[in-house]
Amino acid sequence: MINFNDTFFMEFTLQDVDSGKSNGITVVQNGIALPDSKRRTEHPEIELFDSYIDLYNQIDHCSFDWHLDNDQNTKDTLIQIDSIQRLINKEKYELDDILRYITCGGLNIPGFDSAFDFTNNKTLGYYLTSQELGIAPHSFIPVDFHCQLSFQTYTACLKIEENKLIDNVYILDYQGVELLDMKITLDKYMELAYACKAVYMWQFDYMKKSKKELSILYSVLGKIFPVDSLKLVEWS
């Protein structure tokens, strides 16, 4: 499992965030990952896999996000990008909304107990989407709600089968009302998330289910962060 302290909170905060300034772009970053003093290693009813246990041995929960400041330099830089122009002219987005809600990223990993709290999770999008699809909501637990600032329309989940948590990440998409199989492990999911700075909708780019011409990952990410800090070979 990826080391959260060394990657998302040390390298990202200390190195990557400042790099955008050289391109005239200001990145606003907030993050917290609380260590898990309880050292979660088991669930009373569900068999867990090793990397899930490792994740919650590192953190209790994670709330980490970034977006772009709406200062004039940032606006002047982004307004020249074709995909941003398309979002404004064809999709009718306001530039300030693009800066805050689309050119953003993050991870939001629920606490161990919260992930399995099916009673309180009944109001969450992934749970309601499961019901709409005719899937038993208790057969999935959330692992990443993605960035809180964005137009949140999907959740990364793990599946429970025969009282066993399966090491394969799915996306429950509220807007499209779909269950999508990413066909990757949790460890790989976290590795990919860091490689692309957990940019909004990266999962759909990875699965080749987003419009490439409107993709922030393809058209904007390299102008925000130094190219050598982005490991996007998985998307090429």
Side-chain angles (χ1 to χ4, degrees):
M1 173 58 63
I2 195 169
N3 186 306
F4 270 75
N5 188 57
D6 288 348
T7 53
F8 282 101
F9 297 97
M10 295 298 289
E11 292 179 17
F12 190 96
T13 302
L14 299 178
Q15 298 175 29
D16 299 339
V17 168
D18 285 340
S19 64
K21 293 178 180 177
S22 62
N23 293 329
I25 291 176
T26 301
V27 179
V28 180
Q29 182 264 329
N30 300 291
I32 182 171
L34 297 179
D36 191 348
S37 58
K38 296 180 182 179
R39 308 290 291 179
R40 307 291 194 184
T41 58
E42 62 182 21
H43 186 279
E45 299 174 356
I46 299 167
E47 181 183 344
L48 309 177
F49 54 85
D50 288 345
S51 58
Y52 190 81
I53 294 170
D54 185 28
L55 172 65
Y56 283 100
N57 278 337
Q58 292 190 57
I59 61 172
D60 175 74
H61 70 274
C62 170
S63 179
F64 167 87
D65 60 72
W66 62 266
H67 67 276
L68 300 189
D69 195 0
N70 62 352
D71 62 59
Q72 196 59 48
N73 287 337
T74 300
K75 288 182 177 180
D76 290 345
T77 300
L78 290 188
I79 199 68
Q80 301 174 45
I81 300 171
D82 288 345
S83 61
I84 300 297
Q85 290 280 357
R86 289 191 185 97
L87 286 170
I88 294 171
N89 297 328
K90 292 187 178 181
E91 305 296 326
K92 306 304 180 184
Y93 284 105
E94 297 290 334
L95 181 56
D96 284 352
D97 288 341
I98 293 172
L99 289 169
R100 189 165 184 86
Y101 301 117
I102 297 178
T103 49
C104 65
L107 281 170
N108 282 278
I109 302 170
F112 185 94
D113 293 331
S114 296
F116 292 94
D117 187 349
F118 297 114
T119 299
N120 286 329
N121 288 353
K122 286 181 178 179
T123 60
L124 300 181
Y126 88 90
Y127 194 102
L128 297 172
T129 302
S130 295
Q131 290 181 315
E132 194 170 350
L133 289 168
I135 300 169
H138 290 198
S139 62
F140 286 95
I141 62 166
V143 71
D144 176 23
F145 290 104
H146 207 55
C147 62
Q148 293 176 321
L149 295 171
S150 66
F151 297 132
Q152 235 185 92
T153 59
Y154 62 94
T155 296
C157 296
L158 296 170
K159 193 174 185 180
I160 300 170
E161 293 182 347
E162 298 179 347
N163 295 325
K164 185 177 181 179
L165 192 62
I166 307 301
D167 190 7
N168 185 76
V169 179
Y170 293 84
I171 298 295
L172 274 162
D173 177 17
Y174 324 151
Q175 188 171 17
V177 192
E178 288 183 283
L179 174 65
L180 304 169
D181 186 352
M182 290 195 72
K183 296 182 170 61
I184 56 174
T185 64
L186 178 62
D187 198 29
K188 185 65 173 179
Y189 180 91
M190 295 302 173
E191 177 189 322
L192 291 172
Y194 180 69
C196 68
K197 313 310 175 194
V199 67
Y200 183 47
M201 300 289 283
W202 71 264
Q203 299 93 335
F204 294 85
D205 285 314
Y206 179 79
M207 294 184 290
K208 308 294 190 291
K209 290 183 179 294
S210 62
K211 295 179 180 179
K212 192 169 182 177
E213 68 272 14
L214 298 178
S215 168
I216 300 302
L217 182 147
Y218 284 109
S219 60
V220 182
L221 205 60
K223 297 182 183 299
I224 301 173
F225 301 107
V227 174
D228 59 3
S229 79
L230 300 171
K231 301 181 176 74
L232 303 182
V233 64
E234 302 277 0
W235 286 265
S236 61

